[in-house]
Amino acid sequence: MQTHDNLDENDDLYEHHSFKATKGQEPLRVDKFLMNFIENATRNKVQQAAKDGNIYVNGIAVKQNYKVKAGDEVKVLLAYPPYENLLTPENIPLDVVYEDEALLVVNKPAGMVVHPGHGNYSGTLINALIYHFDNLPNNSSDRPGLVHRIDKDTSGLLVIAKTESAMAYLTNQFFHKTSKREYIALVWGNMDDDEGTIEGNIGRNPKNRLQNVVFGGDEADQGKPAVTHYKVIERLGYVTLISCQLETGRTHQIRVHLKHIGHTLFNDERYGGDKILKGTTFTKYKQFVDNCFKILPRQALHAKTLAFEHPVTKKWMEFDSEVPADISDCVERWRNYAKNSKENI
């Protein structure tokens, strides 16, 4: 029987998961044990890993019916490295808005993933960063340079730390909500109030793991606290242009909060904004909206403003970015549509 130590020396297999059974662990089949710990694992996948000889307990390959006991070290080893740990430098151009010895601010285009993960192993912001910059400090999730992140199809500003002390100082500001982040969004519907605050705990949607959702009442503890402030910039009939300021930074926060109050982001496919949610039944209107979707083939969200206290100089720094052409062109079309609709009334 080949041990885990020998395999490490040969570099044949790579550790993907590692767990240590706690003191109170009752004997439990290893396939069931692993399903409790590995997110998105299916019994078939775990059993296949066992059949392939890729599950090791205390350094020795075991079958799926092995009973895990207290103190056992269980590892899943596979013949390729975990993709999310494969950080390959790639010569991808960066739109650097500001840079000094401690940090840089970049303007991320829509369509660029921030860090490698399931389904996106290259072409990410991190692949670009580690090509252009040496020795970036890791954050708590081992992501080089990342202080915060925005979604793949959201454009806009991000601050990147270049030193360990800058990483700690900036991360602390985001944690304590002393940094400022303002987004521009186009949402479905005519909002009732000119400004407001959305509060609601956000967590994974149990019915759709690709979405997050607001939990309230007795279920509130299933999510994490989230606060979004919004202001109306312009009312355009069946859609509204707004600005959003984040107090917290939950995954998909703006997208989830706005859907929760009935104003889903325009063309946000994941949350249903890629359908006509407001408006008329006229064929011409449907064609108009379809054309807007083609002009703006992503959710209408841009991280426009970013501000924070500099980790070295302690000066307050504020950065602003232009709204990208796809959003501004779409807004202009809605502006004209709303104007013509009023004239025809």
Side-chain angles (χ1 to χ4, degrees), residues 34-332:
L34 285 170
M35 282 179 66
N36 290 336
F37 285 96
I38 303 174
E39 194 173 341
N40 299 330
T42 62
R43 187 131 184 214
N44 285 346
K45 275 187 184 176
V46 171
Q47 289 180 341
Q48 191 58 52
K51 282 175 190 167
D52 294 342
N54 289 331
I55 295 177
Y56 289 75
V57 177
N58 305 325
I60 296 170
V62 298
K63 292 190 165 65
Q64 70 256 30
N65 61 0
Y66 173 89
K67 296 278 179 73
V68 176
K69 298 175 291 295
D72 278 351
E73 283 196 21
V74 183
K75 295 181 187 292
V76 181
L77 297 162
L78 299 174
Y80 56 90
Y83 282 114
E84 55 267 37
N85 295 337
L86 269 182
L87 297 178
T88 309
E90 293 178 43
N91 187 6
I92 301 164
L94 286 173
D95 181 2
V96 177
V97 175
Y98 173 84
E99 183 185 356
D100 61 29
E101 289 183 2
L103 58 86
L104 66 142
V105 175
V106 296
N107 193 8
K108 185 190 83 68
M112 177 186 262
V113 175
V114 170
H115 60 72
H118 183 68
N120 296 287
Y121 305 126
S122 65
T124 75
L125 178 65
I126 282 189
N127 294 114
L129 286 171
I130 61 174
Y131 177 90
H132 294 288
F133 302 96
D134 294 327
N135 304 317
L136 289 174
N138 281 353
N139 65 13
S140 58
S141 302
D142 292 328
R143 312 287 193 197
L146 281 195
V147 176
H148 60 125
R149 62 185 186 179
I150 55 179
D151 297 333
K152 173 187 175 184
D153 288 324
T154 300
S155 52
L157 299 175
L158 286 162
V159 61
I160 309 297
K162 291 170 73 175
T163 66
E164 294 281 357
S165 58
M167 174 67 79
Y169 197 87
L170 290 166
T171 302
N172 192 49
Q173 286 185 66
F174 277 78
F175 180 78
H176 290 290
K177 307 166 187 145
T178 56
S179 59
K180 178 186 164 192
R181 286 170 289 169
E182 188 179 359
Y183 292 71
I184 296 295
L186 184 68
V187 301
W188 279 109
N190 188 8
M191 301 190 85
D192 291 337
D193 302 315
D194 286 340
E195 57 184 83
T197 296
I198 311 163
E199 295 187 59
N201 289 15
I202 290 177
R204 182 98 66 180
N205 186 344
K207 295 174 185 172
N208 182 346
R209 291 189 65 78
L210 294 176
Q211 290 184 355
N212 282 348
V213 71
V214 171
F215 288 99
D218 295 340
E219 297 181 327
D221 61 352
Q222 292 184 44
K224 292 180 179 177
V227 182
T228 306
H229 306 285
Y230 68 86
K231 280 185 182 177
V232 169
I233 298 172
E234 191 174 357
R235 297 179 184 277
L236 300 164
Y238 300 126
V239 295
T240 308
L241 186 66
I242 64 171
S243 76
C244 295
Q245 203 161 317
L246 289 183
E247 216 177 275
T248 51
R250 307 300 175 207
T251 302
H252 300 171
Q253 179 172 321
I254 290 174
R255 300 163 71 183
V256 174
H257 267 173
L258 287 166
K259 180 183 173 74
H260 181 66
I261 64 165
H263 294 284
T264 306
L265 282 185
F266 186 78
N267 209 9
D268 187 349
E269 182 183 359
R270 185 166 294 194
Y271 289 94
D274 59 338
K275 298 173 184 66
I276 295 175
L277 299 181
K278 298 287 178 183
T280 73
T281 54
F282 298 136
T283 305
K284 270 193 174 180
Y285 176 72
K286 184 180 181 300
Q287 288 172 344
F288 164 75
V289 175
D290 284 343
N291 283 334
C292 287
F293 286 157
K294 284 173 188 165
I295 290 167
L296 179 62
R298 60 165 176 124
Q299 71 251 16
L301 188 61
H302 175 66
K304 189 175 191 299
T305 307
L306 177 64
F308 50 84
E309 189 178 273
H310 193 281
V312 179
T313 67
K314 305 298 185 276
K315 284 183 181 173
W316 183 252
M317 305 189 78
E318 189 155 334
F319 300 93
D320 191 64
S321 60
E322 293 225 354
V323 176
D326 56 358
I327 293 180
S328 56
D329 289 354
C330 182
V331 168
E332 186 58 34

